[in-house]
Amino acid sequence: MRVAVPKESGAGERRVALVPDAIGKLATSGFTFAVEHEAGLAAGFTDAAYATAGADVVSRAEVLAGAGAIVRVGRPTADEVAELEPGTVLIGFLAPLSDPEGIERLIARGVVAFAMESIPRTTRAQVMDALSSQSTVAGYKATILAADRLPRLFPLLMTAAGTVAPAKVLVLGAGVAGLQAIATARRLGAVVSGFDVRPAVREQVESLGATFLDLGITGAETEGGYAAELSPEQQAQQQAALEERIPDMDVVITTALIPGRPAPKLIPAAAVERMRPGSVIVDLAAEAGGNCELTAPGEEVERGGVTIVGYTDLASQMPYHASQLYARNVSALLLHLAPEGELALDFDDEITAGACVTGREVTA
Ligand code: NAD
């Protein structure tokens, strides 16, 4: 099967779906590749590296020719969908829960689409779990951004000029991104606490050398390991408890999400008002509306001396490793769908059936 790797078209997107190393490995399983000119450049992968790995590096006009599968990071525009041949396999973050129009376009075009977000989060599918790989990068970057914006040092320093107290960092939501944010803040020497509504997380937070903040609120965990939404009373209780704790923090990194729902509001404006000037909030839930009432999604703003970072592209801001990890996820999915380099779709398989968001009937 020929696999096309177009250059990403999303604003500011710097990642690429397959890196040269992944292409070299897949080539031994019978795949051939067309990579658009400069598709990997923003992530640090040159055309020459793709050519050395065995890909044909071609123009935008040529990249889709004869391709059985197109692999991307972000979803295609309407124009890009119109260029796809019916029956083509498309793999990428396709936002099946939040972009119904985009999904409708793929259905109308007869595209067989696999959404990276829809891959079941089972042990078997772990190597394909792009939500986790990209959250890992985003969690790391969130802490690095916070450390950069904070006008204070993270570690405890004892110098001839005096002692510097360590920064206090609170991480709300300790899933994949949150745990990585905690680990990174610990490595930088901050005093870190974490909170999550899923009780199983306490041990994971503590194993990273952070303190679990006990707010007296415990939520339910769904079968998939996700948090269930809190009741309105619990939400109010959580906001009130956090309003007491947050003013004492230098940095708050928030990652709390409920799949398919707006992000829970954890930090009311009143809590931001009580923070010390110079404090920093990094809101990783910005794309789903934000965990902080004052977050502006996609932007960095200052409110009463507090910096609130609401970027929605943190993984893309670390494009080299984000792409390398994403390429591993995509490679594993490609090998799953086409084990010998030719499509062999088995919709009795939970990964294939779970990830396929459009066009299943096209393959029948
Ligand atoms: P996520 O991005 O959906 O949510 C981030 C975190 O926010 C979660 O830990 C959630 O519990 C928390 N949260 C939700 N509402 C909150 C609130 N009101 N206050 C505080 N925290 C709140 O989740 P994720 O990081 O993608 O993954 C969550 C879980 O899924 C983890 O336990 C992870 O281990 C599990 N998981 C399993 C696999 C696998 O088995 N292959 C893969 C990935 C993740």
Side-chain angles (χ1 to χ4, degrees):
M1 181 164 69
R2 191 158 177 82
V3 178
V5 186
K7 191 170 173 187
E8 293 295 313
S9 51
E13 180 57 74
R14 298 172 69 192
R15 291 169 293 178
V16 60
L18 284 176
V19 301
D21 184 52
I23 283 183
K25 289 193 177 120
L26 285 169
T28 62
S29 299
F31 295 90
T32 63
F33 293 91
V35 176
E36 185 178 336
H37 275 303
E38 301 193 343
L41 201 57
F45 303 99
T46 62
D47 286 353
Y50 281 103
T52 305
D56 296 321
V57 179
V58 298
S59 70
R60 162 128 207 93
E62 294 162 310
V63 70
L64 300 184
I70 321 268
V71 295
R72 312 180 47 104
V73 180
R75 52 201 143 137
T77 62
D79 287 346
E80 286 169 328
V81 172
E83 289 168 8
L84 300 178
E85 288 295 332
T88 312
V89 166
L90 172 70
I91 292 174
F93 280 118
L94 304 175
L97 294 180
S98 56
D99 181 21
E101 279 171 31
I103 295 298
E104 278 305 319
R105 272 197 294 272
L106 295 171
I107 293 174
R109 192 70 197 156
V111 173
V112 187
F114 292 87
M116 294 307 283
E117 300 94 323
S118 302
I119 288 175
R121 297 187 96 174
T122 57
T123 307
R124 211 175 129 235
Q126 221 161 8
V127 60
M128 305 171 206
D129 185 352
L131 284 178
S132 286
S133 71
Q134 303 307 291
S135 290
T136 299
V137 177
Y140 168 85
K141 181 70 177 178
T143 299
I144 298 298
L145 273 178
D148 180 59
R149 302 304 191 264
L150 191 71
R152 309 164 71 108
L153 296 166
F154 261 37
L156 165 77
L157 289 187
M158 287 170 158
T159 78
T163 300
V164 169
K168 288 185 192 163
V169 175
L170 170 63
V171 177
L172 298 173
V176 181
L179 289 173
Q180 189 55 235
I182 290 173
T184 307
R186 286 286 302 139
R187 281 182 214 123
L188 288 176
V191 172
V192 186
S193 45
F195 173 74
D196 198 294
V197 285
R198 289 181 298 119
V201 172
R202 172 189 284 266
E203 211 180 293
Q204 294 165 16
V205 168
E206 288 174 350
S207 75
L208 292 171
T211 311
F212 189 81
L213 195 66
D214 203 339
L215 298 180
I217 299 155
T218 307
E221 189 164 324
T222 66
E223 239 176 58
Y226 289 111
E229 201 163 22
L230 295 179
S231 67
E233 296 75 39
Q234 283 178 310
Q235 282 185 37
Q237 193 189 344
Q238 181 177 22
Q239 279 199 6
L242 284 173
E243 202 177 321
E244 290 306 308
R245 308 292 186 101
I246 282 174
D248 189 36
M249 299 294 160
D250 299 302
V251 168
V252 183
I253 297 172
T254 72
T255 77
L257 287 170
I258 305 287
R261 303 278 307 140
K265 286 281 177 280
L266 308 182
I267 310 180
V272 180
E273 262 164 41
R274 290 176 54 194
M275 289 179 85
R276 287 185 289 269
S279 305
V280 179
I281 296 173
V282 180
D283 193 339
L284 272 181
E287 193 156 19
N291 291 140
C292 171
E293 211 176 353
L294 300 181
T295 296
E299 290 175 40
E300 178 168 340
V301 295
E302 205 194 291
R303 296 285 179 262
V306 176
T307 302
I308 307 175
V309 179
Y311 296 139
T312 53
D313 64 344
L314 290 195
S316 172
Q317 291 189 26
M318 285 265 146
Y320 182 91
H321 279 125
S323 301
Q324 189 183 81
L325 298 172
Y326 184 71
R328 276 295 307 283
N329 304 139
V330 168
S331 300
L333 179 60
L334 274 174
L335 283 169
H336 186 75
L337 302 177
E340 311 282 336
E342 285 305 327
L343 269 189
L345 300 179
D346 170 12
F347 286 104
D348 289 332
D349 172 78
E350 62 159 3
I351 299 174
T352 307
C356 185
V357 290
T358 74
R360 186 169 163 167
E361 65 291 343
V362 177
T363 65

